[in-house]
Amino acid sequence: MVEEREASVQLLKTFAPLDGLKRENVAALAKKVTVRTMSAGRTLFKEGESDKRTVWLVAGMLEIREGERTVAMIRGGTPEARSPLYPQLPRRVTARAVDEISYLSIDSELLDVMITWDQTGTYEVAELQAQLEGAGGDDWMTTLLQTKAFHRIPPANIQAIFLRLQRTPFRAGEVVIKQGDEGDYFYVIVNGKCVVTRETPLNREGIKLAELSVGDTFGEEALIAEAKRNATVTMQTDGVLMRLNKQDFRQLMNEPLLQWVSYEQAREIVERGGRWLDVRLPSEHQNLSIDGSLNIPLYFIRLKLSALDRSIPYVVYCDTGRRSSAAAYILVERGFDAYVLTGGLTNSGVALRRSA
């Protein structure tokens, strides 16, 4: 059984390269990391594995084996244990606990993003926290940096994003964005909670779609698709949001994340196990669609994420590419491998199936 306890800033600063990070960034990282305990005889990692995690030995003894041969014995607290344990992938050795050990394990991509941000960011986290006046601290930032989306955004863009985010306080009951309005900002929740509702002809009060909290984002669909807001977001509590204007969002966040593919490239992805995803309305899909495609309208995409398989790449399409690019952004932001069909159905020469 693996037991866990919180990792302290003091502990993290004893390991390389964490000892080179600014204290504010180590404190942010400490909230995402735990010290884990493993009993004697168990394997920490195996030769040939390619799991993207960076591991440090805190206490106890590890036997390092290469094939059937023992090549090292490492004890926690020694100089040999200061650096990550055999970080090359795939793993070149097997690490087995000789006695009970404790260790740290961090997602390697998150660590790389945090180190890069620490080294390139001239606008320090502490300065940004001072702006927030205690309203949420660094949780929202580390939550963002931990998302798969931020792993694909260039470091210079990340720095510019944090520089250009604007702090905006809101009161409980205040409408942040209203369905039908033009899109102007992308939002990140720093403190407080929001509720997302969508008005329909049969329900003018609005159907509740989701509740959002610290670290959650919203507002991107209208900015990407050049469309009106498709839902209303209202503050449930007093809170603080950070917002990024439309131009900065599109340039710094949207463009680096989207992967545009031709019809030929898309077919290859599908033939290798991918899936077509149609984000048009059901009536559009029923009239004309790509054979075998899954249909989830854009405004339902957030609600239907659990129905999608993160191990499958999705080629997202609509008529022009507007709706599909908005849907693909949402998918990528949440860890999916998503591609956008260039030109949509209108301009890509796609083979279509008509309903009977």
Side-chain angles (χ1 to χ4, degrees):
M1 180 178 176
V2 176
E3 298 179 359
E4 299 185 7
R5 60 182 171 86
E6 290 185 4
S8 66
V9 173
Q10 291 77 11
L11 176 62
L12 293 185
K13 292 286 280 184
T14 63
F15 295 101
L18 306 181
D19 55 352
L21 298 181
K22 298 182 183 69
R23 186 174 181 83
E24 295 84 1
N25 292 342
V26 177
L29 193 60
K31 296 182 179 181
K32 303 294 180 183
V33 180
T34 57
V35 180
R36 302 181 179 185
T37 302
M38 179 179 285
S39 56
R42 295 194 61 187
T43 299
L44 182 58
F45 54 78
K46 292 181 180 179
E47 187 174 349
E49 287 182 344
S50 295
D51 54 324
K52 294 182 179 180
R53 59 190 178 114
T54 303
V55 183
W56 293 265
L57 179 63
V58 176
M61 176 79 80
L62 275 177
E63 177 190 20
I64 308 300
R65 298 181 65 85
E66 200 173 80
E68 298 300 317
R69 184 169 61 96
T70 299
V71 295
M73 302 290 285
I74 301 176
R75 180 170 291 281
T78 62
E80 292 78 15
R82 282 193 70 252
S83 298
L85 295 168
Y86 298 87
Q88 298 94 336
L89 296 180
R91 303 281 186 192
R92 299 179 181 179
V93 297
T94 295
R96 186 184 67 86
V98 176
D99 48 24
E100 183 178 88
I101 64 167
S102 55
Y103 65 97
L104 296 170
S105 178
I106 301 178
D107 180 277
S108 299
E109 291 185 336
L110 169 63
L111 178 64
D112 185 59
V113 168
M114 291 291 287
I115 292 174
T116 304
W117 164 244
D118 183 274
Q119 298 299 306
T120 61
T122 57
Y123 191 63
E124 295 187 14
V125 172
E127 295 178 53
L128 200 49
Q129 287 176 331
Q131 274 195 18
L132 299 180
E133 298 174 359
D138 51 24
D139 281 350
W140 68 276
M141 279 190 287
T142 51
T143 299
L144 274 186
L145 289 172
Q146 199 169 15
T147 62
K148 297 294 184 184
F150 266 73
H151 297 167
R152 285 169 49 178
I153 295 176
N157 287 33
I158 294 176
Q159 180 180 351
I161 288 166
F162 284 118
L163 278 167
R164 298 180 194 182
L165 284 167
Q166 305 168 2
R167 177 186 182 275
T168 312
F170 286 88
R171 294 290 185 185
E174 193 172 350
V175 174
V176 182
I177 61 176
K178 184 173 180 58
Q179 184 175 335
D181 285 354
E182 297 292 336
D184 50 3
Y185 289 98
F186 165 75
Y187 293 89
V188 183
I189 301 176
V190 171
N191 181 263
K193 295 183 178 181
C194 301
V195 62
V196 184
T197 56
R198 188 169 191 275
E199 182 182 318
T200 69
L202 298 178
N203 192 328
R204 294 296 180 184
E205 296 299 316
I207 300 170
K208 182 178 176 181
L209 298 179
E211 290 186 0
L212 306 176
S213 58
V214 173
D216 285 332
T217 62
F218 60 90
E220 60 268 55
E221 293 102 316
L223 306 188
I224 300 171
E226 296 281 1
K228 296 185 183 299
R229 299 292 192 186
N230 61 17
T232 296
V233 179
T234 308
M235 296 299 297
Q236 280 187 309
T237 65
D238 289 352
V240 175
L241 307 180
M242 298 295 279
R243 68 183 191 180
L244 190 67
N245 71 43
K246 178 179 180 178
Q247 182 179 347
D248 287 338
F249 169 79
R250 290 174 66 92
Q251 177 185 351
L252 299 173
M253 294 187 69
N254 181 38
E255 290 177 10
L257 288 184
L258 294 185
Q259 303 180 88
W260 296 86
V261 292
S262 66
Y263 179 48
E264 290 72 23
Q265 292 170 320
R267 284 183 58 190
E268 290 177 6
I269 292 170
V270 172
E271 287 170 1
R272 294 196 303 266
R275 185 83 188 269
W276 290 107
L277 177 59
D278 184 345
V279 294
R280 299 173 303 155
L281 297 173
S283 57
E284 295 176 283
H285 175 76
Q286 290 165 10
N287 179 52
L288 202 65
S289 63
I290 297 177
D291 192 31
S293 60
L294 177 66
N295 179 218
I296 302 178
L298 172 59
Y299 61 82
F300 275 146
I301 202 78
R302 294 176 189 269
L303 296 177
K304 298 292 186 179
L305 289 174
S306 60
L308 300 175
D309 187 343
R310 279 183 168 80
S311 67
I312 295 176
Y314 290 92
V315 180
V316 190
Y317 74 87
C318 64
D319 285 330
T320 64
R322 283 185 175 177
R323 280 178 286 175
S324 50
S325 59
Y329 178 90
I330 294 169
L331 292 176
V332 171
E333 191 180 37
R334 285 152 182 81
F336 289 87
D337 186 15
Y339 302 82
V340 189
L341 179 64
T342 302
L345 298 184
T346 307
N347 301 302
S348 60
V350 176
L352 300 175
R353 170 188 58 81
R354 290 187 180 275
S355 60

